[in-house]
């Protein structure tokens, strides 16, 4: 050691210079030698990196340096008499270590300033690599050291600061004289916290295997500390560890644990270079004990002097293991493998010491390891077990040590009352059984690992098999107790598992001295019968020895074996089981009778088996089942009197059964026999489901009055109504009637008061059955199920009608009363059957009366129908009888057609009026001309050589020249559809007559008319394009060009010739003509008469017709006439008003073209789909489109398409139209839906008025919607969920219709009625309120009906006008272009389920994938019949998203459901399915919701 401080400083300087620290003379030398400077720099870099890597990567834990310091303290040298101590002082950012060792030598200083250099010898020291100190740099930045004369520090921020010492004075406030001190300046607060956790978790066992250090203290600040002490006993085989923990609060906890230490020396592995010269090494095992010296179950660390880690062992292992530099595991190397092989030997030696300690002798097995995690030491689990298994370490029952594999544990259930094994036959066997002092319940797992087995249930049964033969021959008391102990043990076994083996043991002693097993029993074994009843003979039974049953354990065993007490219940079952095997097993008839007596006396206990198993013998002593037998009760002679003529039809039970019980008990005995054996004391009514042989004998040998009296006798309790077959047989049995005749029972009637009254009223004599005392009330209950009539039936009245029919004088009043009475009878089937087979309908007149069949009648028919009799005119007050009871129908279409077919087509003019009447009736009587009406084509009618005059002027011209059907023009007009079905249109004169003109005389060009008509060319061309959309635009422009070249020429004479071809000849008629139109290359020549008087008529009547014919729109001639007679400005306004587009707009498509796309070559794919217009919806900014007013009156491209709504539906109808899905129409409520009309501007386009909406109306709408929804719910509950009818009125909008628009008048009333009208601002505001109110009502209704429906689904621009109401003030306006008023994606299927719940089965197909609904609302104040408007754009949208399959189906019907709401409901992809119906007569198209 340095003698003074100066010498210590020189040592420090030499070390620094040796590390190449550049300072002092070295600086000048490096200047002179640059190569040396470069080499030194590279050395510094390499050395610095090595130190850093070693300090940071050597250990994974920050606080590993703590163990290194403890290790160094144990390796230090101490002055004699000094107890080594180590003291840690942990402050917030510093750690000071104090040790009372001698102090550092120069070699020690050099060791900690180098890498891999150590001053410690190989043997006797823990450290060996000279690098443990470097672990301080895991947590510290600066380390100051004071030891003897040395005082220096390391600073990692300096060049080579972790190994190059820096002279420094140790802080005076930390200095402690006479100690080696190390002061660490910690890197971070987190490092300090980790270090504190490490200190607190230090195990007290870390001092157990150190050589010198026995005391360790750690101070945490000023108050808290932890102190560990380790003290051995005098022998050194017991260590006491004491730990004191004191918290800052002052709480102090002291823990003491003792360890038994066992040491084992073994030969070392000689070839280990790190242990050169070491030939012997030592293994130490430590076994922890609690305060009561019992084993501790906690796992322990393995040690290599200091703790390594927990490997899962419950005892401590200390050995000289070779470790890696981190000291965190054991290296796998030959040296350590050698140590591993010595541990089992050490453990076996330790067990001897443990067995010497009474508290551990029978519990040390708890130290054996459980399942170990994989590690270097994990093989010890098996090697320890293998070593102990063959070593005598466990005590036997006799107290000797034995090898575990030879020992067997005896469970307590196999011990006798003295605690000894039951099944030993010799005391020497006890040496094979484990001592009972071991706790098998606690330690069985460890004992089993050592090879100890348990005496199992099977072992016990096997032992009993060998012992029982010796035990069943003795009867002494000891053997009785042994049997009781065995029974107790057997009762603990699982009976379900071991019952078979137990049943083969001879466990049961019988009263006759035999021992039997239950498996060998052929007859039942019972315990004593407790009730004292004598057991009858002739049954199989064995009784157990009475003494054996006095022991509860044995009694329980016998019960487990199935032996039961010999009760009356068991005896009864044995008797019945004996009978079950057949009468052959019965020993005698006497035994059989006694069996019944025993069952009778044990009747309070019901046996398991049925009494039907009993065999008895009858009067002929033949064994039979008693259910077919009779019994003659003493003193009764009923059978003898009744069956005197047929005594062999009955079989009686033998008289022995009657006399075997006598005295007072006989009556109850006979009663029991009757009830139990089903013996009969009276003739049976039923046998095998039908009438019995006995009753058939009674019917055969006695009259009906006698056997009916037997049936009705209440004492006999016959109930034939419970047996349908018996009722059927009795109903067909012959009986005597009052009139003396014999009839079947079901052909008779019983004389009830009602029957007597009817008989007296209509003088009828029915077949009344003969019985005694008809007033007896029981007759009706007995006879009615047998088919005897009890009330007035159809037959009574039919008989009455037949009587009247057979008389010469017919009383109509009497017939009327019968018809009225028959109307009240419910049996319509019988009634109709009777009238089908008899002519029972009276055809009455004042001078004649006849009877006709029902097939010749109808209830109501046209007067001209001669093939059927109309009963409504004969019996007007009997409609209920004929219509409901008999099902007489009204005349049908087929009847009228057949009447026409039967009518003669001869020259009899009397038939002409009738034929006209029938055709007229055909129209009025059958307005639906579907497939049924097509059957009305009358043979030969359509092929006749005749014509039909459909124009007055043609009728006048050709009458008398060609055959013309005798119908006026008006009648022809009414019969259009009938003639269409008969293919007679080709016989219309208007279709076959041709015309030509010829002009003569002077000619003069009329410039005024030419100029006027030419100015209409553009308007006329617009009309042609609009009403004839199939025409190409170039053809329309050609027509326009020709009209621009039109010339009006006035001529003095125009001759008109009309002609047709008939039977190969031309029939012509000439007359004065009104005008002639002649096309030429560049225009038209229009020849008009010179006379001004004729000109006005021609211009107004004939010229529009010719111009319309030229344009190809003949059916629009009236409109063409208006255009020709109006000035140009008015014409343009008129066309704009009617929605006729200008010629330059070639994209529009009219309603007509859309309904006939199949014929025009246009494809529906050319029109917009919902997905395309979703982002390009209608807008009010385009001057060619109008805004929404009045609840959806929309005009696009200047067009308004007027729609007429059928009046045969309740409105509104929401139509759900989905492509490729079942059709659906559902009436949501009756909000009046139609087109509102709006005001026009100068351009003719509609605008929304800014008038405010009435708040009062909005409040009323909300209330009305909720009330109507509740009314509908109530209505559905009353009428059933399948009903789709709803109240006619839903909300009254009439109160806001203060002004009604003025309707135009004109010849085409239908067109003008449906056209939108110009209105003033007042009516426009009214219509605006109607539209908003309609949407608000629909919103409130849907919100009540569908839980998920809310204001976000209101996608109409009109929603903004509802904010006046407080409920709507927070609604956000919908400013985007709109597709429909409401859009609802039915994600949870609520709206779909709503429709299904209300009876629309088609919607069920949508429940799996509910659609998205697009709902459009139309509102009107005029009721459901009012028309409404929809824009061409809306119509295109619905039409383009259709279902072709549905559309083709809809076109196949002449009529369909017509809605007044454009409601499209789509799915993914969105689709509309409209139904288009064309009225061929008017040209109007109706949209049908499907």
């Amino acid at each position: 050691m340095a003698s003074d401080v100066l010498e210590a400083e020189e040592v420090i300087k030499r070390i620094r210079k040796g590390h190449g620290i550049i300072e002092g003379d070295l600086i000048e030398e490096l200047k002179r030698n640059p190569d040396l400077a470069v080499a030194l720099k590279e050395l510094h870099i390499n050395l610095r990196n090595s130190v850093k890597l070693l300090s940071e990567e050597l250990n994974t834990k920050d606080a590993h340096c703590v163990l290194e310091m403890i290790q160094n303290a144990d390796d230090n040298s101490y002055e004699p008499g000094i107890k080594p101590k180590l003291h840690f002082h942990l402050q917030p950012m510093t750690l000071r270590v104090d040790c009372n060792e001698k102090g550092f030598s120069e070699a020690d200083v050099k060791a900690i300033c180098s890498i891999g250099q150590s001053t410690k010898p190989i043997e006797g020291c823990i450290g060996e690599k000279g690098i443990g100190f470097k672990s301080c740099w895991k947590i510290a930045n600066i380390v100051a050291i004071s030891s003897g004369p040395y005082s220096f520090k390391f600073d990692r921020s300096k060049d080579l600061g972790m190994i190059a010492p820096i002279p420094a004075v140790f802080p005076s406030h930390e200095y402690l004289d006479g100690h080696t001190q190390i002061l660490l300046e910690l890197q971070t607060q987190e490092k300090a916290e980790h270090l504190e956790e490490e200190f607190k978790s230090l195990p007290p066992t870390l001092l157990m295997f150190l050589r010198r250090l026995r005391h360790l203290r750690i101070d945490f600040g000023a108050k808290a500390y932890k102190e560990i002490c380790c003290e051995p006993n005098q022998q050194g085989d017991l260590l006491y560890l004491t730990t004191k923990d004191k918290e800052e609060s002052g709480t102090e906890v002291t823990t003491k644990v003792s360890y038994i230490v066992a040491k084992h020396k073994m030969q070392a592995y000689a070839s280990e270079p790190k242990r050169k010269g070491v030939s012997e090494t030592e293994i130490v095992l430590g076994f922890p004990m609690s305060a009561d010296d019992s084993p501790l179950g906690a796992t322990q660390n393995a040690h290599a002097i200091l703790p390594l880690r927990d490997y899962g062992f419950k005892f401590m292992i200390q050995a000289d293991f070779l470790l890696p530099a981190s000291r965190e595991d054991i290296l796998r190397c030959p040296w350590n493998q050698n140590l591993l092989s010595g541990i089992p030997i050490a453990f076996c030696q330790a067990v001897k010491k443990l067995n010497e300690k009474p508290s551990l002798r029978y519990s040390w097995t708890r130290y054996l390891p459980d399942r170990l995690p994989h590690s270097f030491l994990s093989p010890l689990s098996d090697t320890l077990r293998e070593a102990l298994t063959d070593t005598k370490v466990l005590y036997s029952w006799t107290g000797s040590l034995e090898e575990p594999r030879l020992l067997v544990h005896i469970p307590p259930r196999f011990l006798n009352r003295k605690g000894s094994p039951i099944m030993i036959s010799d005391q020497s066997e006890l040496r094979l059984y484990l001592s009972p002092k071991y706790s098998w319940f606690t330690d069985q797992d460890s004992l089993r690992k050592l090879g100890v087995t348990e005496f199992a249930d099977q072992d016990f049964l096997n032992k009993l098999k060998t012992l029982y033969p010796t035990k069943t021959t003795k009867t002494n008391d000891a053997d009785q107790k042994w049997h009781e102990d065995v029974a107790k043990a057997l009762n603990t076994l699982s009976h379900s598992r071991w019952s078979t083996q137990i049943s083969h043991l001879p466990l049961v002693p019988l009263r006759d001295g035999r021992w039997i097993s239950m498996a060998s029993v052929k007859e039942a074994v019972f315990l004593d019968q407790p009730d004292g009843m004598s057991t009858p003979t002739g049954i199989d039974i064995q009784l157990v020895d009475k003494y054996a049953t006095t022991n509860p354990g044995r009694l329980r065993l016998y019960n487990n074996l199935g032996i039961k007490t010999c009760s009356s219940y068991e005896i009864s079952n044995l008797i019945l089981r004996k009978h079950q095997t057949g009468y052959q097993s019965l020993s005698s008839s006497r035994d059989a009778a006694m069996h019944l007596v025993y069952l009778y006396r044990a009747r309070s206990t019901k046996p398991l088996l049925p009494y039907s198993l009993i065999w008895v013998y009858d009067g002929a002593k033949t064994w039979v089942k008693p259910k077919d037998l009779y019994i003659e009760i003493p003193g009764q002679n009923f059978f003898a009197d009744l069956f005197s003529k047929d005594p062999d039809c009955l079989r009686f039970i033998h008289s022995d059964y009657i006399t075997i019980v006598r005295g007072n008990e006989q009556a109850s005995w006979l009663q029991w026999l009757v009830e139990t054996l089903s013996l009969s004391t009276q003739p049976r009514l039923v046998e095998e489901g039908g009438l019995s042989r006995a009753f058939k004998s009674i019917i055969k040998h006695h009259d009906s009055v006698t056997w009916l009296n037997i049936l009705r006798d209440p004492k006999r309790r016959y109930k034939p109504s419970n047996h349908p077959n018996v009722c059927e047989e009795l109903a067909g049995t012959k009986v005597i009637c009052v009139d003396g005749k014999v009839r079947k029972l079901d052909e008779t009637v019983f004389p009830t008061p009602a029957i007597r009254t009817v008989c007296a009223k209509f003088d009828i004599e029915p077949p009344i059955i003969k019985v005694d005392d008809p007033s007896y009330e029981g007759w009706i209950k007995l006879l009615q199920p047998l088919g005897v009539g009890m009330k007035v039936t159809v037959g009574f009245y039919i008989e009455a009608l037949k009587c009247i029919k057979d008389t010469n004088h017919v009383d109509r009043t009497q017939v009327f009363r019968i018809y009225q009475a028959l109307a009240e009878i419910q049996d319509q089937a019988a009634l109709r059957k009777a009238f089908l087979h008899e002519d029972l309908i009276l055809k009455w007149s004042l001078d004649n009366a006849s009877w006709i069949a029902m097939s010749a009648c109808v209830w109501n028919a046209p007067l001209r129908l001669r093939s059927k009799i109309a009963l409504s005119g004969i019996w007007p007050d009997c409609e209920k009888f004929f219509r409901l009871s008999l099902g007489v129908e009204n005349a049908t279409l087929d009847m009228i057609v057949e009447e026409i077919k039967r009518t003669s087509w001869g020259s009899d003019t009397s038939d002409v009026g009738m034929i006209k009447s029938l055709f007229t009736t055909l129209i009025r009587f059958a307005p639906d001309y579907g497939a049924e009406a097509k059957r009305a084509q009358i043979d030969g009618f359509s092929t006749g050589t005749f014509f039909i005059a459909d124009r007055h002027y043609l009728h006048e011209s050709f009458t008398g020249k060609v055959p013309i059907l005798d119908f006026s023009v008006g009648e022809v007009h009414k019969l259009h559809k009938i003639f269409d079905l008969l293919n007679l249109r080709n016989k219309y004169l208007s279709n076959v007559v041709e015309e030509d003109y010829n002009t003569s005389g002077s000619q003069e060009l009329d410039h005024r008319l030419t100029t006027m008509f030419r100015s209409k060319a553009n308007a006329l061309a617009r009309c042609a394009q609009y009403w004839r959309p199939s025409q190409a635009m170039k053809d329309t422009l050609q027509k326009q060009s020709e009209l621009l070249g039109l010339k009006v020429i006035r001529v003095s004479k125009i001759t008109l010739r009309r002609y047709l071809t008939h039977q190969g000849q031309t029939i012509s008629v000439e007359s004065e003509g009104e005008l002639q139109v002649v096309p030429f290359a560049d225009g038209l020549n229009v020849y008009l008469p010179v006379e001004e008087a004729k000109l006005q008529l021609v211009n107004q009547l004939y010229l529009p017709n010719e111009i319309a014919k030229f344009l190809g729109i003949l059916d629009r001639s009236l409109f063409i006439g208006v255009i020709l007679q109006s000035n140009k400005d008015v014409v343009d306004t008129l066309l704009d008003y009617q929605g006729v587009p200008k010629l330059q707009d070639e994209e529009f498509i009219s309603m007509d073209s859309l309904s006939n796309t199949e014929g025009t070559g246009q494809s529906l794919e050319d029109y917009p789909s919902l997905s395309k217009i979703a982002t390009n919806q209608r807008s009010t900014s385009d001057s060619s489109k109008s805004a929404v007013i009045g609840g959806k009156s929309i005009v696009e491209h200047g067009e308004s398409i007027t729609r007429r709504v059928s009046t045969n539906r309740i409105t509104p109808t929401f139509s759900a139209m989905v492509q490729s899905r079942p059709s659906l129409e559902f009436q949501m409520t009756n909000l009046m839906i139609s087109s509102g009309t709006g005001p026009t501007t100068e351009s003719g386009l509609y605008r929304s008025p800014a008038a405010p909406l009435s708040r009062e109306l909005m409040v009323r709408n909300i209330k009305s919607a909720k009330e109507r929804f509740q009314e509908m719910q109530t209505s559905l509950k009353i009428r059933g969920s399948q009903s789709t009818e709803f109240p006619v009125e839903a909300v009254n909008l009439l109160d806001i219709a203060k002004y009604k628009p003025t309707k135009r008048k004109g010849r085409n009333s239908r067109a003008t009625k449906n056209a939108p009208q110009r209105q003033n601002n007042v009516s426009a505001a009214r219509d605006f309120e109607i539209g908003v109110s309609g949407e608000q009502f629909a919103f409130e209704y849907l919100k009540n009906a569908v839980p998920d429906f809310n204001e976000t689904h209101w996608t109409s621009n009109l929603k903004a006008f509802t904010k006046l109401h407080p409920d709507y003030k927070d609604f956000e306006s919908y400013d985007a272009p709109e597709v429909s008023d409401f859009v609802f994606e039915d994600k949870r299927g609520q709206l779909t389920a709503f429709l299904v719940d209300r009876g629309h089965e088609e919607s069920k197909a949508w429940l799996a994938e509910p659609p998205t609904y697009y709902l459009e609302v139309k509102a009107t104040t005029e009721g459901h019949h009012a028309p409404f408007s929809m824009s061409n754009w809306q119509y295109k949208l619905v039409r383009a998203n259709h279902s072709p399959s549905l559309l083709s189906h809809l076109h196949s019907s002449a009529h369909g459901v017509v809605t007044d709401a454009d409601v499209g409901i789509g799915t993914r992809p969105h689709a509309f399915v409209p139904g288009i119906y064309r009225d061929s007569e008017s040209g109007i198209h109706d949209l049908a919701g499907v």
Side-chain angles (χ1 to χ4, degrees), residues 303-351:
H303 285 64
I305 305 301
L306 288 175
L308 298 177
R309 66 178 178 86
D310 188 345
Y311 286 88
F313 291 93
K314 297 178 183 178
F315 59 93
M316 197 172 297
I317 302 174
Q318 155 63 30
D320 186 19
F321 293 113
L322 292 181
L323 310 175
S326 64
R327 289 186 55 85
E328 294 180 357
D329 209 340
I330 301 174
L331 293 174
R332 296 182 181 273
C333 62
W335 173 272
N336 288 340
Q337 289 289 349
N338 183 60
L339 290 174
L340 187 64
S341 65
I343 294 177
I345 301 173
F347 193 92
C348 289
Q349 293 179 357
V351 169

Side-chain angles (χ1 to χ4, degrees), residues 992-1239:
V992 299
V993 173
E994 299 184 32
E995 299 177 346
D996 58 28
Y997 293 85
N998 186 27
T999 60
S1000 60
S1002 61
Q1003 298 184 1
E1004 180 181 357
L1005 178 67
D1006 191 323
H1007 294 281
R1008 182 184 66 82
L1009 292 179
T1010 298
T1011 302
M1012 184 181 71
F1013 291 158
R1014 284 182 177 182
S1015 68
K1016 309 297 176 58
N1018 181 63
L1020 294 172
R1022 287 174 64 183
C1023 293
Q1025 181 63 30
Y1026 179 65
W1027 279 301
R1028 194 179 178 188
S1030 60
Q1031 179 174 263
M1033 179 59 70
K1034 65 178 182 179
D1035 296 331
T1036 302
L1037 296 177
Q1038 177 63 31
K1039 295 286 186 183
Q1040 181 186 28
S1041 175
E1042 292 177 10
L1043 289 170
L1044 289 172
L1046 179 146
K1047 297 178 182 178
V1048 178
I1049 301 173
R1050 307 285 290 275
V1051 297
S1052 56
K1053 183 178 181 180
I1054 301 175
T1055 302
L1056 168 63
R1057 186 174 75 96
R1058 295 187 177 96
Y1059 60 93
L1060 57 80
T1061 301
H1062 174 59
Q1063 294 182 345
Q1065 298 182 358
T1066 300
I1067 309 299
S1068 63
V1069 177
E1070 289 190 359
S1071 62
E1072 182 178 355
E1074 290 78 13
L1075 82 163
Q1076 180 182 10
V1077 177
V1078 180
F1080 63 94
D1082 297 325
L1084 294 174
N1085 283 341
V1086 178
Y1087 296 93
L1088 299 179
V1090 174
E1091 297 88 339
E1092 291 296 331
K1094 293 183 179 180
L1095 184 61
Q1096 184 176 2
L1097 178 63
V1098 170
N1099 286 345
Q1100 293 180 353
L1101 181 60
Y1102 300 111
L1103 181 59
N1105 190 68
E1106 292 299 320
I1107 295 299
K1109 185 188 300 184
F1110 167 75
L1111 295 175
I1113 51 175
L1114 185 59
D1115 56 341
R1116 302 294 176 179
S1117 59
L1118 292 178
F1119 195 81
I1120 297 300
V1122 174
I1123 291 176
L1124 292 176
Q1125 300 302 317
S1126 304
N1127 61 58
K1128 183 178 183 301
D1129 293 338
V1130 173
V1131 167
D1132 290 339
T1133 302
L1134 175 63
L1135 293 179
D1136 290 341
Y1137 187 83
Q1138 290 295 324
V1140 180
K1142 294 178 173 55
L1143 286 180
Q1144 62 267 24
D1145 187 354
E1146 298 185 23
E1147 295 182 356
F1148 92 98
I1149 300 206
S1150 74
M1151 188 77 79
D1152 293 29
S1153 67
L1154 282 175
S1155 65
N1156 292 285
T1157 56
E1158 295 83 353
T1160 62
Q1162 294 172 323
S1163 170
L1164 291 177
E1165 296 178 355
D1166 298 333
Y1167 302 111
S1169 66
L1170 189 61
S1171 59
K1172 292 181 180 179
I1173 65 172
T1175 56
N1176 188 24
Q1177 300 165 341
R1178 59 183 183 233
S1179 171
T1180 59
S1181 61
D1182 191 345
S1183 61
S1184 66
K1185 301 177 182 179
S1186 80
V1188 181
I1189 75 160
K1192 308 293 175 293
S1193 176
I1194 303 174
V1195 178
E1196 294 188 342
H1197 304 295
E1199 172 192 6
S1200 175
I1201 301 176
T1202 303
R1203 308 293 319 289
R1204 184 170 67 90
V1205 180
S1206 171
T1207 61
N1208 63 347
R1209 298 293 292 176
I1210 297 176
T1211 60
T1213 301
F1214 281 166
S1215 300
M1217 297 171 283
V1218 184
Q1219 187 172 6
S1220 301
R1221 289 205 173 181
S1223 65
L1224 168 69
E1225 179 186 276
F1226 178 58
Q1227 299 179 350
M1228 295 281 287
T1229 179
N1230 188 45
L1231 172 63
M1232 296 297 117
I1233 297 184
S1234 179
S1235 65
T1237 55

Side-chain angles (χ1 to χ4, degrees), residues 853-882:
M854 191 170 66
S855 59
C857 303
V858 294
W859 176 249
N860 199 3
L863 294 178
R864 294 287 184 174
L865 192 63
R866 297 182 297 184
S867 60
K868 298 288 183 180
I869 304 301
L871 298 179
S872 59
I874 303 173
W875 300 102
D877 296 329
C878 294
E879 182 176 5
K880 178 180 178 182
F881 170 63
F882 288 109

Side-chain angles (χ1 to χ4, degrees), residues 624-694:
V624 294
K625 290 289 185 179
K627 65 182 183 62
D628 297 327
L629 298 181
Y630 290 86
I631 185 170
E632 186 81 54
I633 302 299
Q636 296 181 2
N637 297 317
F638 175 77
F639 289 106
D641 297 337
L642 198 57
F643 295 94
S644 60
K645 296 180 181 180
D646 189 11
D648 296 331
C649 73
L650 304 180
R651 294 176 67 186
F652 291 89
I653 194 170
H654 198 278
S655 59
D656 287 351
Y657 289 92
I658 299 174
T659 60
I660 197 170
V661 177
R662 297 181 181 275
N664 297 332
E665 198 178 10
Q666 187 182 49
S668 62
W669 155 249
L670 294 178
Q671 182 66 28
W672 182 85
L673 277 179
V674 170
E675 295 175 355
T676 304
L677 303 183
S678 299
L679 300 176
S680 183
T681 60
Q682 62 184 21
R684 288 188 175 90
L685 178 65
V686 182
E687 283 181 357
E688 297 180 355
L691 196 62
S692 70
R693 177 185 174 187

Side-chain angles (χ1 to χ4, degrees), residues 411 413-414 455-462 464 486-499 501-502 505 507 556-557 560:
R413 64 181 182 276
F414 297 140
F455 195 78
D457 296 347
Q458 185 64 65
D459 299 328
F460 180 68
L461 294 174
N462 292 339
L464 287 180
V486 169
K488 181 179 179 182
L490 289 174
N491 287 333
T492 64
L493 303 186
S494 172
H495 184 71
S496 60
R497 180 179 180 186
W498 303 111
S499 59
Q501 294 191 45
I502 295 175
L505 294 174
L507 301 174
R556 180 185 173 191
L557 175 63
N560 290 338

Side-chain angles (χ1 to χ4, degrees), residues 891-903:
T892 63
L893 184 62
D894 284 336
M895 295 178 185
I896 299 174
V897 171
E898 290 300 320
E899 187 77 13
I900 294 175
K901 288 183 177 181
R902 284 197 297 268
T903 303

